[in-house]
Amino acid sequence: MTLRVYNTLSKEKEDFQTVKPGQVSIYLCGPTVYKPAHIGHMVGPVIFDAVKRYLTYIGYDVTFVVNITDVDDKLINRAVENKMEVSALAKEMTKDYFDNLDLMGVDTIDHFPYATEHIQEMLDIISKLIDKGFAYPLNGDVYFDVNKDEGYGKLSRRNLDDMLAGSRVEANDSKRHPADFALWKSSKEGEPSWESPWGPGRPGWHIECSAMSIKILGESIDIHGGGLDLMFPHHENELAQSECCTGKPFARYWMHNGLMQAGKSSGKIGGKHSKEGDIEETDDVGMDQASQEANKLAGSKGAASVKELFKIFHPETIRFFLLSTHYRSPIEFNDELIKEKEKNLQGFYRLFESFERITGQDFYSLTPVTLREKAVKLSGGPDNFINELNHARDRFLQSMDDDFNTGGAIGVLFEIRSQINSYIGQGKLDSGTQANDSEIQVLVSSMTLLKELSSLVGVFQKPIETSGSGDDELTGQLMELIIQIRAHARSSKNFEIADQIRDGLNNVNVTLEDRPDGTIWRKD
RNA sequence: GGCGCCGUGGCCAAGUGGUCUAAGGCAGCGGAUUGCAAAUCCGCCAUCGCGGGUUCGAAUCCCGCCGGCGCCUCCA
């Protein structure tokens, strides 16, 4: 099996070959920390977290870097609005970002470099670019000279003439070419500022990624990731300045994830509200309404902070949702779709409970292999069951090998779930009778397989904490009492009372399950 | 105007030349189980936007059309 990865640079799936054998370096463009993270900010980290998990599993030593951009126009503006120091705002928002990553189970990132801690590295690159003739200072700013770079535009496939024709690039007489972008910007009063050979200023937008990527991962890295929206101009410019500086290929594979979308005719979440600059006036009122509708959606759901979102949905549900579709496709964000994932997860959680009832073992304590080469084929149970599971593992890995197809892989997880449930059902293992040793053995190994594969997409790794802790003890005691009373009613065939109790509980979102070995309850 | 993406069952979604009369999920329907439920299991439920073409063979490649979307604006 060979891993294939879609490369934006070639627009093809390519066999995965690393710069250094056995090692993979990943740089993912991180957030500008100026406001609380929304769901869209989680997409990249979750996807590349899964990418790293898989690469690690198939034997690579992976270094994963996500930058924190803590100096930028948006940040400065918001700090002024909130009457805060830029650094204080950045610090607060960085914490918010980290908290959210943590909740989402993104724990594979090795370095979070800060832009403001790499100013010197940026200045070095800028100087080098000027020396090599790829950049020029202009009134305290420094611009990259796009005309000097033959390869400019190769990532996003556009040429400079077309860009001019597009005419959205505003003419700026002093720049040599309208598309020349700032490497260094002179700073105004009150703005964060660093000394430089061209006067006090601050970095341009793209330079920090080049500087930190090169510093931490080297001049040529394996994977550079980010949202599709960053392809141009950010990645194009990053690529240009880096390669002109080092003379080496900057990144082997460019991976771009699709964007989260709020609703049908809307743009992306938290994005623009209107195209004020657009001169097209063909829009009628209907269109306006549609876009308002979409923005409302964005405003109430998607653009809401991740923290708000987590009040409604468990982070694992969101993670599962994000990975259920292919990373390059756009995902529509809406409640119904996420609720469906919630149900999906419930099914797995019930299996875990069932597993514990039968074997007395905790699913979350199972310890699967962490390397593909150490994976062993299952054996010992009914042939067709064991064969199905072994085949399922192969198909899961094949999906992941095909450009990290987490959607296909997760589909296989469902099949494994059904297989195991079916095995349990056929042997009536979860009906109060004692399973024998070999059945338990088979169950443990098949559940361990499920844990092994789900660890690659980073779900089901630790128990989800049950919400509401304060009233738990009392609730538990009350439920025990209610169930006892109902059991009496049932045993004396007083089903009217029994059903009344069950229906009543249903109304307060408590579901009762009468199993052969007793009644259990859960909050929905 | 330029660059690019997408269109698979009621909905979500994998599959991108033969194993596809198309995985999986949600919803629905029928059955097993149950006092009835719940949970679980079994079964049913699509020819792949439209029209041409290439090929022994296409959801998968090419052309055209229709429909949706993104970027070209420091939005991840």
Side-chain angles (χ1 to χ4, degrees), chain A residues 102-117:
Chain A
D102 195 41
L103 285 166
M104 295 284 288
V106 176
D107 56 10
T108 58
I109 300 170
D110 300 293
H111 302 280
F112 287 103
Y114 292 84
T116 54
E117 290 172 9

Side-chain angles (χ1 to χ4, degrees), chain A residues 170-465:
Chain A
E170 294 199 4
N172 175 340
D173 289 339
S174 39
K175 286 198 285 185
R176 292 180 187 171
H177 187 285
D180 288 354
F181 56 92
L183 297 168
W184 187 257
K185 300 160 118 168
S186 59
S187 52
K188 303 191 197 90
E189 262 310 301
E191 289 180 351
S193 169
W194 288 263
E195 282 310 315
S196 86
W198 316 283
R202 57 200 171 87
W205 177 27
H206 321 290
I207 194 71
E208 89 268 20
C209 286
S210 294
M212 295 188 282
S213 179
I214 290 171
K215 182 186 179 196
I216 299 171
L217 297 171
E219 294 183 338
S220 288
I221 67 168
D222 293 301
I223 296 174
H224 193 112
L228 204 53
D229 54 335
L230 292 182
M231 189 167 86
F232 187 90
H234 183 57
H235 288 339
E236 192 71 64
N237 292 350
E238 227 184 297
L239 172 61
Q241 70 201 178
S242 300
E243 296 195 345
C244 287
C245 174
T246 66
K248 294 176 187 162
F250 180 50
R252 230 180 177 123
Y253 301 92
W254 287 84
M255 290 175 63
H256 293 279
N257 60 270
L259 304 177
M260 177 75 57
Q261 295 180 201
K264 289 224 164 122
S265 50
S266 79
K268 70 190 80 75
I269 287 175
K272 53 199 140 195
H273 293 284
S274 62
K275 296 191 173 186
E276 285 152 353
D278 249 338
I279 313 160
E280 290 178 348
E281 300 226 70
T282 51
D283 289 357
D284 54 21
V285 184
M287 176 70 178
D288 246 48
Q289 278 173 347
S291 107
Q292 274 174 13
E293 215 36 49
N295 279 320
K296 243 197 293 184
L297 218 168
S300 64
K301 314 252 176 59
S305 69
V306 181
K307 280 217 170 84
E308 290 299 311
L309 188 65
F310 286 167
K311 288 179 186 166
I312 309 169
F313 298 108
H314 191 279
E316 181 151 87
T317 307
I318 303 295
R319 183 178 176 109
F320 196 74
F321 170 67
L322 295 179
L323 293 172
S324 290
T325 175
H326 189 93
Y327 77 87
R328 278 190 279 125
S329 311
I331 307 187
E332 187 188 330
F333 185 97
N334 85 45
D335 278 11
E336 293 311 309
L337 296 176
I338 300 179
K339 277 179 185 153
E340 187 188 312
K341 301 306 166 197
E342 211 163 46
K343 279 182 198 158
N344 289 159
L345 291 180
Q346 294 297 332
F348 284 98
Y349 299 150
R350 300 229 166 92
L351 172 59
F352 302 160
E353 290 160 10
S354 174
F355 174 68
E356 185 160 0
R357 281 193 297 270
I358 298 167
T359 65
Q361 293 198 43
D362 174 20
F363 173 78
Y364 295 103
S365 305
L366 297 174
T367 49
V369 299
T370 53
L371 280 175
R372 176 161 71 184
E373 61 184 28
K374 292 197 178 153
V376 280
K377 294 233 177 241
L378 300 192
S379 60
D383 279 353
N384 54 347
F385 174 60
I386 293 300
N387 291 342
E388 284 290 342
L389 289 190
N390 283 325
H391 184 52
R393 172 199 263 122
D394 290 343
R395 287 194 299 126
F396 184 99
L397 299 181
Q398 272 163 23
S399 282
M400 291 300 280
D401 266 340
D402 183 12
D403 195 27
F404 306 103
N405 183 355
T406 54
I410 282 176
V412 176
L413 253 29
F414 285 105
E415 292 175 47
I416 294 176
R417 184 185 75 182
S418 301
Q419 288 293 331
I420 298 177
N421 268 326
S422 178
Y423 175 73
I424 291 173
Q426 271 165 29
K428 295 197 165 57
L429 304 181
D430 192 17
S431 48
T433 52
Q434 184 69 43
N436 67 39
D437 285 354
S438 99
E439 287 166 335
I440 288 180
Q441 176 52 40
V442 168
L443 257 189
V444 169
S445 55
S446 53
M447 289 297 276
T448 304
L449 169 68
L450 178 59
K451 183 111 186 281
E452 173 188 333
L453 299 181
S454 39
S455 77
L456 302 182
V457 284
V459 293
F460 311 143
Q461 294 310 291
K462 46 185 180 194
I464 58 162
E465 66 287 1

Side-chain angles (χ1 to χ4, degrees), chain A residues 17-25 60-61 217-218 220 222 252:
Chain A
Q17 288 186 316
T18 59
V19 176
K20 293 181 196 159
Q23 294 183 27
V24 180
S25 46
Y60 288 104
D61 180 12
L217 297 171
S220 288
D222 293 301
R252 230 180 177 123

Side-chain angles (χ1 to χ4, degrees), chain A residues 134-148:
Chain A
F134 289 112
Y136 56 94
L138 183 72
N139 307 325
D141 301 335
V142 179
Y143 289 96
F144 184 86
D145 192 338
V146 292
N147 269 318
K148 294 280 168 56

